[in-house]
Amino acid sequence: MAATSKRLLLSDLISSDKIDQVPSHYIRPLSQRPNLQDVLHDSIPLIDLQDLYGPNRSHVVHQIGRACRDNGFFQVKNHGVPESTIANMMEIAREFFRLPEEERLKTYSDDPTKTTRLSTSFNIHTEKVANWRDFLRLHCYPLEDYMHEWPTNPASFGDHVAEYCRSARGLALRLIEAISESLGLDRDYISRQLGNHGQHMALNYYPPCPQPDLTYGLPGHTDLNLITILLQDEVPGLQVLRNGHWVAVDSVPNTFIINIGDQIQVLSNNKYKSVIHRAVVNCQKERISIPTFYCPSRDAVIGPAPELVCDDQHAVYRHFTYGEYYDKFWNRGLATENCLDIFTASSST
Ligand code: OGA
Ligand code: NI
């Protein structure tokens, strides 16, 4: 048994040990467990982006605005990312996680400041209870700054992932324009606040779990970035907090799930909410999810848009650099669900 505790990755720990019980450091205290029997099943808005650049643009923009305000989560179809690009991305992720341990471990690091790294849980230095997840995190904009760091096995990793990143970025930019417009701001207002822009992604691997009611793939959190574009395989696992209830969101083929992150909440001065969500695991099937996190560059200064600050709605947040926010987020280890409170106008830190 002693040898197993030295395993770095969850997937290798369980494949070496044929675990039929969740190891104790993955077990949540009673009050924090997922209570899977209480989860509701419901849908989130599905928005067709087909008409985004036609005469019906204002209708699509309105739908996006309403979904951002009321749900914080929506799905999109006719999003412009080719099916083959999506299929190649998913396949290469699956192949990567099937590589022998020593091959995958070439990119292993526990250091959240590393721009390419394979790791496990969330931040093993700051968290008390571990999460049932391994993940490969990549920075991916500008591509030429980071691609040389990426895994070279499987051989087509770089090509397929780069193609996916370019296409996902195009979608992110279209959505950001529409969100900006839906707030009554110039179409390029939000884009101009993002400095040189940034894009990160995660390849999340959630192995089957013998006792999914004791632990999480990812516990409840909001995303710190601007917007997230989530690609997932056919295995359910994403749940969204709505009116105090957890709602399971099933995956629909060839759609993406889009969610608003903390930076849109700040820029919109709380008009749009960064919604708490989590990933749960199951005992039968591994699950892969691939979020693209579109974000400001580290030096970009983020704060509420002046047009959205008025006598009735004072600036809820102070201005900060995205780098400051990013470092706070990673250091708190998902111990609190939301990092935004530290950046309100009335806070002193
Ligand atoms: C995330 C996330 C959800 C999922 O990586 O931030 O929320 O379904 N993932 O994997
Ligand atoms: Ni998330």
Side-chain angles (χ1 to χ4, degrees):
M1 282 304 282
T4 58
S5 62
K6 292 207 182 63
R7 293 272 186 190
L8 293 169
L9 294 168
L10 170 65
S11 46
D12 299 323
L13 170 72
I14 55 183
S15 63
S16 68
D17 234 25
K18 299 274 177 290
I19 282 171
D20 58 4
Q21 283 192 348
V22 169
S24 59
H25 64 291
Y26 289 93
I27 299 180
R28 295 273 158 180
L30 260 176
S31 64
Q32 291 174 15
R33 292 187 188 165
N35 292 320
L36 296 171
Q37 69 286 352
D38 294 340
V39 171
L40 309 175
H41 283 261
D42 202 354
S43 56
I44 54 175
L46 173 60
I47 300 178
D48 188 343
L49 299 183
Q50 183 78 54
D51 288 341
L52 199 52
Y53 291 92
N56 287 334
R57 178 176 176 88
S58 63
H59 177 63
V60 184
V61 166
H62 181 75
Q63 282 183 301
I64 291 175
R66 203 172 43 196
C68 289
R69 190 193 60 203
D70 298 345
N71 294 83
F73 266 80
F74 55 98
Q75 297 167 89
V76 291
K77 65 175 183 180
N78 291 317
H79 40 62
V81 182
E83 271 177 40
S84 58
T85 306
I86 293 175
N88 288 339
M89 179 67 240
M90 197 39 98
E91 186 51 35
I92 212 76
R94 214 170 281 288
E95 279 177 35
F96 176 81
F97 286 110
R98 282 191 190 134
L99 289 173
E101 183 178 6
E102 70 273 13
E103 193 56 38
R104 278 173 293 135
L105 286 178
K106 286 178 182 168
T107 45
Y108 186 88
S109 170
D110 297 334
D111 175 3
T113 65
K114 278 240 160 72
T115 50
T116 299
R117 66 189 185 106
L118 177 68
S119 191
T120 192
S121 191
F122 175 74
N123 182 349
I124 58 174
H125 294 300
T126 55
E127 63 204 5
K128 291 203 184 79
V129 184
N131 301 304
W132 203 262
R133 171 182 83 138
D134 293 333
F135 63 98
L136 176 65
R137 220 178 142 96
L138 308 172
H139 286 217
C140 36
Y141 183 79
L143 271 171
E144 55 279 12
D145 289 1
Y146 300 111
M147 265 183 83
H148 64 273
E149 301 176 356
W150 292 359
T152 49
N153 188 0
S156 53
F157 187 95
D159 287 346
H160 286 330
V161 178
E163 185 191 326
Y164 180 80
C165 289
R166 283 191 205 98
S167 217
R169 177 165 192 266
L171 174 59
L173 294 177
R174 293 193 289 282
L175 290 167
I176 290 166
E177 283 188 349
I179 291 170
S180 208
E181 248 177 286
S182 76
L183 287 164
L185 304 169
D186 288 344
R187 198 187 272 200
D188 65 350
Y189 175 82
I190 292 179
S191 181
R192 282 191 277 111
Q193 308 309 307
L194 309 180
N196 293 327
H197 291 213
Q199 183 179 345
H200 304 176
M201 75 193 298
L203 281 54
N204 288 321
Y205 178 75
Y206 303 104
C209 174
Q211 294 167 296
D213 40 359
L214 301 184
T215 192
Y216 290 104
L218 272 175
H221 66 281
T222 65
D223 289 353
L224 83 158
N225 49 289
L226 196 70
I227 60 168
T228 303
I229 300 175
L230 184 73
L231 168 65
Q232 50 177 339
D233 67 12
E234 70 295 342
V235 181
L238 175 67
Q239 301 183 344
V240 175
L241 191 61
R242 186 189 292 167
N243 303 325
H245 294 285
W246 286 103
V247 177
V249 178
D250 290 342
S251 92
V252 180
N254 292 314
T255 65
F256 288 109
I257 292 178
I258 311 296
N259 68 284
I260 294 305
D262 294 352
Q263 305 312 307
I264 290 278
Q265 179 163 335
V266 172
L267 280 157
S268 73
N269 203 26
N270 267 3
K271 272 184 119 176
Y272 294 168
K273 286 275 164 42
S274 178
V275 169
I276 296 174
H277 55 283
R278 66 186 188 181
V280 299
V281 287
N282 73 84
C283 40
Q284 265 126 28
K285 290 185 175 167
E286 62 179 33
R287 172 170 180 258
I288 290 181
S289 76
I290 305 179
T292 289
F293 303 109
Y294 206 79
C295 49
S297 49
R298 280 187 69 87
D299 58 343
V301 177
I302 303 294
E307 289 91 330
L308 303 177
V309 175
C310 57
D311 286 347
D312 291 346
Q313 182 58 297
H314 293 283
V316 182
Y317 303 99
R318 65 177 176 87
H319 284 73
F320 50 82
T321 62
Y322 187 59
E324 185 190 347
Y325 200 96
Y326 190 85
D327 295 344
K328 284 256 170 34
F329 178 89
W330 277 96
N331 288 333
R332 103 219 121 102
L334 292 188
T336 52
E337 288 164 339
N338 204 315
C339 197
L340 282 162
D341 292 348
I342 311 170
F343 293 88
T344 54
S346 51
S347 66
S348 53
T349 44

